[in-house]
Amino acid sequence: MRNFTGTDPDDQESSRANRTWWDLDARNYHEEHTNYLQGFYWCPEMLHEKDIRLLGDVRTSHVLEIGCGSAPCSRWLADDGVGFITAFDISANMLQFGREPKIPLVQADAVHMPYASNIFDVAFSAFGAIPFVADTAALMREVARVLKPGGRFVFSVTHPMRWIFPDDPGPEGLTVYTSYFDRSPYVERDNATGKITYVEHHRTLGDRIRELRQAGFILNDLIEPEWPEHLTEEWGQWSPLRGKLFPGTAIFVAELAR
């Protein structure tokens, strides 16, 4: 999955590259993942919030979605009866696919959230901004800042174990090719200019837990969804073949200490 030599991109480089990437890919992403974007799915294993309720009862809660893309999760929560919800993403083009009057959407960077402190009861991210930020420890502190004491934080990311395998849904994607402990990021560059065009950052499960704890969170659960028997669709590196052998998603359920 890695293709990078040199100095690791910092937050500014990562933000610049990923903003451009998602602006350019927004239409293609929505055309390819129509079913996934029709509700609040936590992961390619199609685990839906209505079936697991990781956010709890949010009917009277102030909720923030981090790295919302076109905000299908926020739209579903709005229809389901959330108290108040707002969402943000770094990509203006992704946000354009989610515009509607009942959900305030903001273009912003996850490491500099444009919100006051201690105002949200719940924050969440479903495969959103977290993997695209270089300093995720700082991001966790920023989430803690905007949450009220006791607030809930739930986020899903690609399972860190996946980083040791090639990004391939078939048999070639079952052979380990790098170390789990190699935290160098995955970076794509323009062949002509060498300019960074896409960045994803790797953290181990232990890294994520330590970042949460250092920001003042208590980890209540770590969910590794199993691949459903009925799901035959492939999506990028996700496939029935790989999904039945090792996890593709990690979902962290935490709350801010009171």
Side-chain angles (χ1 to χ4, degrees), residues 132-242:
F132 306 106
V133 172
D135 188 355
T136 43
L139 171 56
M140 298 302 171
R141 294 193 295 271
E142 185 71 348
V143 177
R145 180 186 66 79
V146 302
L147 279 176
K148 299 175 183 176
R152 181 171 296 196
F153 179 33
V154 185
F155 65 91
S156 59
V157 292
T158 301
H159 198 289
M161 183 178 177
R162 286 287 173 110
W163 280 71
I164 71 176
F165 299 100
D167 201 3
D168 188 312
E172 292 185 4
L174 301 180
T175 302
V176 171
Y177 86 112
T178 191
S179 170
Y180 176 75
F181 302 103
D182 179 1
R183 293 168 177 83
S184 59
Y186 170 80
V187 176
E188 294 183 7
R189 293 177 179 269
D190 182 271
N191 289 332
T193 66
K195 183 179 179 181
I196 297 173
T197 58
Y198 181 89
V199 185
E200 243 183 281
H201 296 272
H202 171 52
R203 299 291 180 271
T204 67
L205 288 176
D207 292 338
R208 293 284 184 220
I209 293 170
R210 281 185 290 275
E211 289 174 350
L212 283 167
R213 288 177 56 83
Q214 290 166 6
F217 287 99
I218 300 167
L219 182 66
N220 291 332
D221 202 356
L222 173 57
I223 301 167
E224 300 164 296
E226 295 187 35
W227 191 267
E229 289 293 332
H230 68 274
L231 188 58
T232 59
E233 180 182 357
E234 290 188 1
W235 175 3
Q237 60 154 301
W238 277 269
S239 66
L241 174 65
R242 285 158 62 94

Side-chain angles (χ1 to χ4, degrees), residues 22 28-49 65 67-76 94 124-128 155-158 225 227 231 233-236 238 248-251:
W22 288 110
N28 177 65
Y29 180 82
H30 283 80
E31 290 175 353
E32 288 188 354
H33 305 304
T34 303
N35 292 336
Y36 182 75
L37 297 172
Q38 296 304 308
F40 188 157
Y41 292 101
W42 281 104
C43 50
E45 292 85 356
M46 303 299 279
L47 184 65
H48 201 286
E49 173 64 6
E65 182 175 5
C68 65
S70 58
C73 300
S74 288
R75 292 199 303 273
W76 184 85
M94 290 293 283
F124 75 93
S125 183
F127 275 76
F155 65 91
S156 59
V157 292
T158 301
W227 191 267
L231 188 58
E233 180 182 357
E234 290 188 1
W235 175 3
W238 277 269
T249 299
I251 308 176

Side-chain angles (χ1 to χ4, degrees), residues 74-143:
S74 288
R75 292 199 303 273
W76 184 85
L77 282 174
D79 292 338
D80 194 51
V82 67
F84 169 82
I85 189 162
T86 186
F88 73 89
D89 196 87
I90 199 169
S91 167
N93 286 358
M94 290 293 283
L95 290 169
Q96 285 299 323
F97 280 88
R99 293 291 180 192
E100 60 179 74
K102 60 185 176 182
I103 303 174
L105 299 179
V106 177
Q107 184 181 11
D109 194 320
V111 294
H112 302 290
M113 297 184 194
Y115 305 103
S117 301
N118 305 323
I119 60 170
F120 293 105
D121 303 292
V122 176
F124 75 93
S125 183
F127 275 76
I130 293 166
F132 306 106
V133 172
D135 188 355
T136 43
L139 171 56
M140 298 302 171
R141 294 193 295 271
E142 185 71 348
V143 177

